[in-house]
Amino acid sequence: MHVDHLDRPDLSLVRGDEAPLGREIGGVAVRGPREPAELLGAHGGPDDGRHAARATAAAELVAALGASVVDAARLRSALDACGLGGAGAYTVVVAGLTPRGEEGDAAAGLAEALAHLPSAVHVVAEGRGGEAVAVVARETDAGYDVRALLGEAWPPHAVRPGTVPHAGVSGPVDAPERLGAALAQARHALAAARAVGPAAPRVAGLGDLDGLGPLLAGVPADVRDVYRATVLGPLLGAGRGPGEMLLDTLRTFLAHDCSWARTAAALHVHVNTVHYRVRRIEALTGRDLSRLDHKADLRAALLCD
């Protein structure tokens, strides 16, 4: 069922199962749909100040999480303002849509999915680049896996048709000071979810980083670019025609477990041609394709494209 994004009700922060589902755009997202008339400040009036305060508190929490230097006092104050202070465990979830969609789309979908978590309080706010960031607070002995339960509720109904929702989930942390690291984990997992299945809705956690591709997906793009240029630079500089031919041979050779015969068959060339090209690749890159570590270096560089 598609939810009309032009008429989303606002939400107040609630605990546990006080209400089933719901969302608030640009501020605190929680558990529950209720009719708009029942919501605090949903249609203006004296409760607008409370709505603005909730939105400001959520935005401040996300800003505190993303700060380059963790300010423990600021984090604790922001958690308290959102009603999340003193929890036994925290989990950070970051969600995004491909294509990006409109403002609030990712937050609406994430809020809906998180509403299925039992005995937890959470806030959702808009983050950078159209992403939505949620902090989930629960007791240490809640007895469930946030990533697993979120996956069961994914994809949410409240996403715009034509967009693909992905989410990354951090591991649990037991102190506000560790929430910055949890945010980095969640963003890394989100990048992995997008890399593994860009056209399919997916939720990923750290346990889903089970291959070199998903692992590298969370590395910042500028770092990947430098690594690729460092390792494959001589091939990239070999000229458009020869360079592309050598890169294609390298990809095929590695994909066929460095089998000369199977690589030759896949490329429709003589096996001696494969030998020549591989020797050329080794000479240009300084890597020996009979060594496992050098194969891994080259494979990683190819995946950084």
Side-chain angles (χ1 to χ4, degrees), residues 53-81:
R54 292 195 303 272
T56 299
E60 167 61 14
L61 177 56
V62 171
L65 284 178
S68 56
V69 178
V70 175
D71 184 332
R74 181 186 180 190
L75 271 176
R76 290 182 184 278
S77 175
L79 287 168
D80 288 342

Side-chain angles (χ1 to χ4, degrees), residues 16-294:
D17 297 314
E18 291 176 8
L21 289 177
R23 57 190 180 280
E24 171 181 312
I25 301 309
V28 179
V30 284
R31 302 178 58 83
R34 305 186 214 168
E35 290 302 318
E38 299 176 13
L39 299 173
L40 297 176
H43 293 289
D47 290 316
D48 278 350
R50 295 180 63 181
H51 163 67
R54 292 195 303 272
T56 299
E60 167 61 14
L61 177 56
V62 171
L65 284 178
S68 56
V69 178
V70 175
D71 184 332
R74 181 186 180 190
L75 271 176
R76 290 182 184 278
S77 175
L79 287 168
D80 288 342
C82 291
L84 307 183
Y90 297 97
T91 300
V92 176
V93 184
V94 181
L97 300 175
T98 306
R100 177 172 166 177
E102 297 184 6
E103 181 180 359
D105 284 356
L110 180 56
E112 177 198 313
L114 286 173
H116 294 274
L117 299 182
S119 305
V121 183
H122 61 272
V123 295
V124 178
E126 291 292 313
R128 66 187 190 191
E131 71 183 15
V133 179
V135 177
V136 180
R138 59 193 175 95
E139 295 306 315
T140 307
D141 59 354
Y144 62 85
D145 182 343
V146 172
R147 183 256 176 269
L149 287 180
L150 186 62
E152 292 175 4
W154 207 260
H157 296 296
V159 293
R160 192 176 301 274
T163 61
V164 180
H166 296 93
V169 184
S170 77
V173 297
D174 57 6
E177 293 81 0
R178 299 181 60 197
L179 279 169
L183 175 62
Q185 290 179 9
R187 283 180 169 149
H188 200 128
L190 172 60
R194 285 172 163 158
V196 170
R202 183 178 175 87
V203 177
L206 296 183
D208 297 298
L209 302 180
D210 56 358
L212 188 57
L215 179 64
L216 290 172
V219 175
D222 56 344
V223 176
R224 294 199 309 270
D225 290 343
V226 170
Y227 180 78
R228 181 175 183 271
T230 301
V231 176
L232 299 178
L235 298 182
L236 301 174
R240 181 173 179 83
E244 290 176 350
M245 177 188 67
L246 292 175
L247 285 170
D248 187 42
T249 299
L250 176 59
R251 291 188 191 94
T252 307
F253 189 62
L254 293 174
H256 289 83
D257 299 321
C258 301
S259 166
W260 306 99
R262 285 188 287 142
T263 301
L267 294 173
H268 305 291
V269 298
H270 193 278
V271 69
N272 288 343
T273 302
V274 178
H275 277 276
Y276 170 79
R277 292 180 185 177
V278 168
R279 298 296 175 250
R280 183 67 177 151
I281 291 167
E282 291 177 327
L284 287 170
T285 63
R287 260 72 177 184
D288 180 351
L289 278 164
S290 68
R291 290 181 49 174
L292 179 60
D293 56 340
H294 287 190

